[in-house]
Each structure stands twice: as C-alpha cells, then as structure tokens.
Amino acid sequence: MKISASIYSNKKKSLQSLIKELDQLKIDMFHVDFNDKKINIEKIKNDIIEIRKISKIPIDLHIISKTPSLYDAFLEEYKIEFVTYQEEDIIEKFTIPKIKETSFGISFVSKTRIENFEKYFNACDFVLLMTTIPGESGGKFNSINFNKIRKFKLKYPTKSIHIDGGVNDEIAFILRTLGVKSVVSGSFLVKNNILNALQKIKSSVINSEFKIKEFMIPKDDSPIVIKEETNFYEILKTIDIHKYGFVFIENKKGKFEGVISMADIRKCLIKNFNIFEKINADKLINNNPITIKEEDNITTMIKSTQNHNFPISFMPVLNNNNNLVGTITFFNLINSES
C-alpha cells in the first residue's frame, strides 16, 4: 500500500525541510491539498516548483473547486502525476481532461454514494474516499467507509481505491486487508517522528480500538452452503463464485459447522479418489477451524494468526453464541505493497 504524505499538515517545519526528510525516507507521494477558496493557485505553483527542486517523488494533487477546469493548463504545464477532483464541490459542467502524464481520480465524502463513480468511470483510474471531514487535519476515521470500500471493490474491480483521513497504524492495517491501493496520511505521519510513524503505518499495529465486526465481510456477503442441502458440485461452484477459496458450512438450523477450503478438498480427493462420486460435505468439512469473535480487536486477531505454524488466509467471525456473522480475509495483504 502506497503512502502519500500530506505536506500542509505540519505548520512548524518549513516546506523545504519537510520535503527533504520525506524524500530521504522514500515516501511514495507528496499529497498537496488545493482548495481554491483558501489557497491561491500561485502558492500551489511555487510550492510545486520547490518540491521539484528537491525531489523526484510524484505529486498527488487534490483539487477542491467549483470550477476545476480553470486548472487544466496548470496540470499539463507542471506535469502533475496524480490529480483528484472533489466531486461535491463542482458546479460547472465538467469533463476530466486527458493529459498523458497524469492519472486522474474523483473524490467522495463519506455520505456520497459510490455509484456516483459511474459517470467518471472511463476518465478515472481511482477513487479517493474522504474518510474524515475534508480539509480538517487530525479527524477520526469514519468506519462506515469500510463497507464502502468493499462495495466499490466489488462494483469496480479494475479501479484503485485511495483513502484520505484519519489513517493511523490500526486503520492502515485494516485498509491493507481490504485491498486499498494508497492512503493519505497527515497528522499521524508529519506531526510526529516521521520515520517511526511511517514504519507503523506500513507494518505494525500499536493501538487497537476497532472491533472485528466493524470491518469484517458481513455474513450476507460470505460464501455459505447448508450441509444437508449441498453436494460436491455446489461447494465448488460457491467457492468459484465468491473467489475466496473456501466456503462456510451451516446446518438447516443456522448453526455454524465448520469450513471447507481448497486445501480440505485436495486432502479429501487424495483420500477418497476411488469413491469420487460419493464425496459430500461430511467428508470435506473441517469442523475445528480457527475462528475469531466479532467483539475481538485487531491485536487479538494478529496474535491468533501468530499462534499457528501455518499460514492463515481467512477466519470465520462468530458471535458469543458461536453463530457465523461474517468473514475476515487476508488475501489482500499479500499484494498490499505492490
């Protein structure tokens, strides 16, 4: 997962010293907020010139304007690598320009529906979800965006997801599990020891507040079959449809029975190859999978994965009655640094 440092979140350091420090740490992008109600375009131009003198790291420009088309020529002249427009502020009849060197995105606040991306689909490479109030440094991440990220990824799988607002070590870990491509970090990164903060965002969880139920894949979106009503074909078909590599098994009364993963299928086929046509859920099922409770936090989840000598790619999430309520998967962590 890429990190874009919000350069205006630190008012104490000079722009030059901040850029030098971030450049030495090989930050992925410099995030520049440009709200033309608050900042003059000349300041943005001068700051970009200063950044270019010091570093070759790409610039990630967020334009908040009623009339963003006024800045098309500026974007082309200064060869801005990433440009995002804040959709809710635009009042003109607007078309995203085509500039060879620039990757474009559209930004939505938490209350805006992801379906609004439809009209920008052909012109945008990514969406930027504002997960706090735009323009307010140090805000808290709005957890409703976890579900928006999942929905966007399902609806627009070829487009990247970027996040801006409230990103700390814990949020960054969750976002990696959800397959987010890039995050903007302001207060957490540039107002603290930047090296330590960057290491936390990229690799660790120091503080854990969110419960599993707040960011898990809900039960309705999880792969489930009923043991008494399924067969080998339906199990394989369900795995193929959901693309997770496993299914959960419940009985007719809704009781969680266990899981069937592709590894379970492989072991069963080896053991029962001569009676292939008689294979059913009872032969395939793992009745004692590694699970987690919906009220647990990330620290508990990480410790659970570390307590086993084999890789864990998913966990069923159970409530206090041991009923299935959702899923946690770790597949996106494998590609989170790409």
Side-chain angles (χ1 to χ4, degrees):
M1 187 169 70
K2 305 297 184 185
I3 311 297
S4 186
S6 181
I7 64 170
Y8 293 146
S9 292
N10 189 318
K11 306 296 183 183
K12 295 181 179 180
K13 290 184 179 181
S14 69
L15 177 67
Q16 291 81 2
S17 64
L18 181 61
I19 296 302
K20 286 179 182 177
E21 185 174 0
L22 290 167
D23 182 78
Q24 290 173 352
L25 294 172
K26 294 181 170 36
I27 198 73
D28 298 302
M29 291 176 280
F30 298 120
H31 185 79
V32 180
D33 279 313
F34 173 37
N35 185 335
D36 62 6
K37 291 180 182 178
K38 301 178 180 179
I39 303 176
N40 189 284
I41 184 62
E42 294 306 316
K43 172 176 171 51
I44 297 295
K45 290 179 180 179
N46 291 335
D47 287 350
I48 287 174
I49 289 170
E50 286 300 311
I51 293 171
R52 299 293 198 203
K53 287 179 182 177
I54 299 169
S55 177
K56 294 182 179 179
I57 287 172
I59 289 173
D60 167 28
L61 180 68
H62 184 186
I63 298 176
I64 303 172
S65 173
K66 293 181 179 179
T67 53
S69 62
L70 293 175
Y71 308 110
D72 288 357
F74 154 71
L75 299 177
E76 191 157 15
E77 179 183 356
Y78 286 79
K79 295 180 171 58
I80 308 300
E81 291 87 351
F82 298 92
V83 174
T84 312
Y85 299 100
Q86 191 64 44
E87 199 240 11
E88 294 85 1
D89 289 74
I90 300 171
I91 62 172
E92 67 174 342
K93 187 176 180 181
F94 177 63
T95 301
I96 293 176
K98 294 181 179 180
I99 300 175
K100 188 176 180 181
E101 297 88 355
T102 302
S103 177
F104 288 97
I106 197 73
S107 180
F108 301 133
V109 298
S110 294
K111 65 182 181 181
T112 300
R113 298 168 66 249
I114 60 169
E115 287 78 9
N116 283 27
F117 187 80
E118 200 70 39
K119 58 186 174 182
Y120 303 102
F121 182 86
N122 292 325
C124 286
D125 300 311
F126 62 91
V127 67
L128 175 67
L129 300 181
M130 302 300 296
T131 48
T132 58
I133 298 174
E136 290 191 8
S137 181
K140 186 173 181 179
F141 185 95
N142 188 337
S143 61
I144 69 168
N145 288 285
F146 293 139
N147 193 42
K148 289 184 70 174
I149 292 167
R150 279 193 297 271
K151 286 185 176 180
F152 186 91
K153 197 168 181 63
L154 286 171
K155 190 171 181 63
Y156 306 107
T158 63
K159 304 298 180 178
S160 297
I161 302 173
H162 298 193
I163 298 295
D164 185 355
V167 176
N168 57 19
D169 54 330
E170 180 187 21
I171 297 297
F173 178 85
I174 296 172
L175 296 180
R176 290 201 299 274
T177 69
L178 296 176
V180 168
K181 183 73 172 180
S182 171
V183 298
V184 176
S185 185
S187 298
F188 183 81
L189 178 64
V190 302
K191 284 187 177 180
N192 299 295
N193 180 303
I194 295 178
L195 175 59
N196 289 343
L198 190 59
Q199 289 174 337
K200 290 176 185 177
I201 290 175
K202 281 185 171 289
S203 61
S204 63
V205 179
I206 306 302
N207 302 302
S208 181
E209 297 179 2
F210 282 98
K211 294 179 180 179
I212 300 299
K213 64 182 180 181
E214 296 183 76
F215 62 92
M216 69 182 184
I217 301 169
K219 180 178 178 179
D220 287 348
D221 295 330
S222 300
I224 301 170
V225 296
I226 306 303
K227 186 172 72 170
E228 296 90 343
E229 299 173 355
T230 194
N231 54 41
F232 192 28
Y233 173 77
E234 289 299 325
I235 290 167
L236 290 175
K237 184 178 176 182
T238 304
I239 290 175
D240 185 61
I241 290 172
H242 286 266
K243 311 298 184 187
Y244 290 142
F246 62 86
V247 293
F248 296 141
I249 309 299
E250 289 186 331
N251 63 25
K252 283 184 177 182
K253 296 181 179 180
K255 179 178 172 57
F256 177 64
E257 295 274 349
V259 305
I260 297 174
S261 68
M262 291 305 297
D264 296 318
I265 291 174
R266 183 183 67 248
K267 292 173 184 176
C268 181
L269 285 175
I270 293 171
K271 186 177 180 180
N272 298 281
F273 193 77
N274 292 331
I275 53 169
F276 180 82
E277 70 280 359
K278 296 181 180 180
I279 292 175
N280 56 28
D282 283 322
K283 287 187 171 64
L284 293 165
I285 192 170
N286 172 5
N287 294 112
N288 191 31
I290 298 164
T291 64
I292 194 164
K293 292 296 179 69
E294 63 175 342
E295 295 292 334
D296 287 338
N297 59 27
I298 294 174
T299 302
T300 303
M301 180 178 72
I302 292 174
K303 287 180 179 178
S304 179
T305 64
Q306 293 172 339
N307 286 336
H308 298 86
N309 59 359
F310 53 87
I312 297 172
S313 57
F314 69 94
M315 283 184 176
V317 182
L318 309 181
N319 62 18
N320 288 332
N321 295 320
N322 289 325
N323 291 323
L324 183 70
V325 293
T327 319
I328 293 292
T329 66
F330 304 110
F331 304 114
N332 288 308
L333 287 175
I334 298 170
N335 299 316
S336 64
E337 300 302 325
S338 62

